[in-house]
Amino acid sequence: MRIAVVGGGISGLVAAYRLRTLLGAGADIVVIDRADRVGGILHTGELAGEPLDLGAEAFVGRRHEVPELLREVGLEQQLVVPAGRRPLVWSGGVAHLLPERTLMGIPSTAESMRGLVDHDTLARIAAEPHRPLAWYPDADIDVYSLVADRFGAQVAERSVDPLLGGVYAGSSRSIGVRAALPTLAAALDDGAPSLTHAVAAAMPPPTNAPVFGGIRDGYRVLLHALAERSGARVLTATSATRLARATRGWVVDPVGVVDAVILATPAPITARLLRPIAPAAASAAAGIELSSSVVVALSLPRDTALPENSGILVATGERLRAKAFTLSSRKWPHLAARETALVRVSFGKFGDSAPLSWSDEELIAAATEDLATVTGVPIGPLEAVVQRWPGGLAQYAPGHPDRIAEIESAIADLDNLAIAGAYLHGVGVPACVASGDRAAHHIAARYASLH
């Protein structure tokens, strides 16, 4: 069986690896990617002579996919967890501890917001359970509209936006409730009488387990292991220009005729390839917008007096160019042991592509100046690396789950074709791993049914 996996990000590499485990040594698997390397938005660069992730640097630790995959490919010893320090949020020109016991920044109590929002907003949060709630099951709205109406704009802009900006490079105005907060939507659908009650019902149970996990030597070790163990031919700097039906299977230019294909590509590329064969799916995929961002990684003198926190998120409306600061040497014990202090500064949200056009020098200057503002200490970088991510993250707008259901329904009858990627059922690394694994099982099951 000959299979083409279009897209060499984490979803595509997991798909190729899983196909090998399911189909054995006889399968001919080829992975193609338009970039000059595999990994997509997972990229381990080098700073101060040692590896550092310049894309995603962590994964949700409460999900099982990444730890299980690391164990499966013999990399269990690479799993690391953060030091457990709390992040800060920069709001009103002051650093506050990020509120605890929230659901993506939506509070479960008024008290958790004390100091971050004004007294009128605190009173509004406290009184919210007594206000009538109009919620229509199966409807979807943006997160801002829900939170600002029930708790006030300050909660959305100072608590919710900083977290959504980190996950989606978007904001509460661009992200839908159902896609970003499915447990909250389910609680509202089930008749929660208020947003306060819905948050309480949707909150995960308390646990001492780490919220996040990471990989000691960067995601590159996992990407390399997946590519090697897949036994696939990996063709980089190679774009798929056409997908068409063949007498038996598919034609993927420039690969040629294959028995099956997995499209592990961003939504716009998936839309272009599907348009001739599944126009309804292509139309739905084309409606998914992307957000761009930039990461500036700084190596600082080891004795730089950084706060004893994991990072600093920036509220909406602040006079800063950066949207977040990851204090990597404070967040990760294995990075704290290095000879220099490491900080990642993030720029760019949905609708703001300006940072992509700035020069490296301008970005580094903005990163150091903004970091000095939020920390209150002089910043003199020893070294800096700039990584741009044009169109790096899909925006899960209101109606996103319905859009994905439409895509999946429209391709359900296309034999030996599957899709995977961060635009489907979650942008995080665990969701992408699950996506690639699901696509591989789909193709293997169709193959088994014919033999």
Side-chain angles (χ1 to χ4, degrees), residues 2-8 11-19 23 29-32 240 243 250 252 258-265 270 273 416-421 435-444:
R2 190 169 192 234
I3 308 164
V5 178
V6 184
S11 301
L13 291 179
V14 167
Y17 165 72
R18 185 59 63 208
L19 284 169
L23 298 176
I29 304 168
V30 58
V31 176
I32 68 171
L243 174 65
W250 299 94
V252 180
V258 296
D259 297 296
V261 60
I262 293 176
L263 299 180
T265 44
T270 303
L273 293 172
N416 295 327
L417 183 142
I419 56 176
S435 174
D437 195 73
R438 188 164 48 245
H441 274 93
H442 176 80
I443 295 299

Side-chain angles (χ1 to χ4, degrees), residues 165 168-171 173-175 288-293 323 347-353 393-397:
Y168 296 98
S171 74
R173 297 177 187 269
S174 67
I175 304 299
I288 299 171
E289 297 185 275
L290 306 181
S291 181
S292 300
S293 60
K323 68 176 182 181
F347 297 84
K349 287 186 179 182
F350 179 65
D352 177 20
S353 59
L393 284 174
Q395 293 299 286
Y396 279 42

Side-chain angles (χ1 to χ4, degrees), residues 116-325:
L116 183 59
V117 301
D118 62 25
H119 291 294
D120 287 345
T121 300
L122 287 176
R124 181 171 182 150
I125 298 168
E128 192 271 339
H130 309 291
R131 293 172 51 211
L133 172 66
W135 176 265
Y136 303 96
D138 299 326
D140 199 8
I141 59 174
D142 62 89
V143 176
Y144 180 89
S145 295
L146 175 64
V147 175
D149 174 63
R150 303 302 299 180
F151 289 154
Q154 289 185 4
V155 174
E157 295 171 350
R158 300 179 184 182
S159 182
V160 180
D161 275 353
L163 292 169
L164 287 177
V167 176
Y168 296 98
S171 74
S172 58
R173 297 177 187 269
S174 67
I175 304 299
V177 172
R178 291 195 179 279
L181 300 159
T183 57
L184 180 66
L188 291 168
D189 288 346
D190 286 344
S194 69
L195 182 56
T196 300
H197 284 89
V199 169
M203 290 278 283
T207 176
N208 292 324
V211 176
F212 298 107
I215 300 179
R216 179 180 301 278
D217 294 323
Y219 274 108
R220 67 181 182 183
V221 298
L222 176 58
L223 299 172
H224 175 76
L226 291 170
E228 182 177 48
R229 288 172 175 259
S230 74
R233 291 182 294 121
V234 179
L235 306 177
T236 55
T238 304
S239 295
T241 56
R242 183 175 69 106
L243 174 65
R245 292 181 183 273
T247 303
R248 294 182 63 183
W250 299 94
V251 175
V252 180
D253 288 340
V255 173
V257 177
V258 296
D259 297 296
V261 60
I262 293 176
L263 299 180
T265 44
I269 297 175
T270 303
R272 173 174 59 79
L273 293 172
L274 288 178
R275 190 163 289 115
I277 55 174
S283 178
I288 299 171
E289 297 185 275
L290 306 181
S291 181
S292 300
S293 60
V294 179
V295 171
V296 178
L298 302 174
S299 172
L300 309 174
R302 185 179 174 86
D303 60 356
T304 303
L306 297 173
E308 296 294 331
N309 301 89
S310 61
I312 306 168
L313 307 176
V314 179
T316 297
E318 296 299 306
R319 293 185 176 182
L320 294 175
R321 291 150 292 185
K323 68 176 182 181
F325 308 84

Side-chain angles (χ1 to χ4, degrees), residues 58-74:
F59 56 85
V60 176
R62 290 170 178 162
R63 290 191 59 156
H64 63 88
E65 289 90 349
V66 177
E68 288 181 0
L69 184 61
L70 288 171
R71 284 193 291 272
E72 192 174 339
V73 299

Side-chain angles (χ1 to χ4, degrees), residues 344-416:
R344 289 168 29 120
V345 186
S346 301
F347 297 84
K349 287 186 179 182
F350 179 65
D352 177 20
S353 59
L356 287 178
S357 66
W358 299 349
S359 68
D360 286 3
E361 291 74 17
E362 289 171 323
L363 285 162
I364 293 168
T368 54
E369 291 165 10
D370 284 0
L371 181 60
T373 296
V374 299
T375 61
V377 301
I379 300 297
L382 302 172
E383 187 179 337
V385 176
V386 175
Q387 178 66 53
R388 292 171 171 80
W389 295 112
L393 284 174
Q395 293 299 286
Y396 279 42
H400 186 81
D402 290 339
R403 188 174 292 113
I404 298 308
E406 183 179 354
I407 295 170
E408 293 175 334
S409 175
I411 66 168
D413 294 331
L414 298 179
D415 287 340
N416 295 327

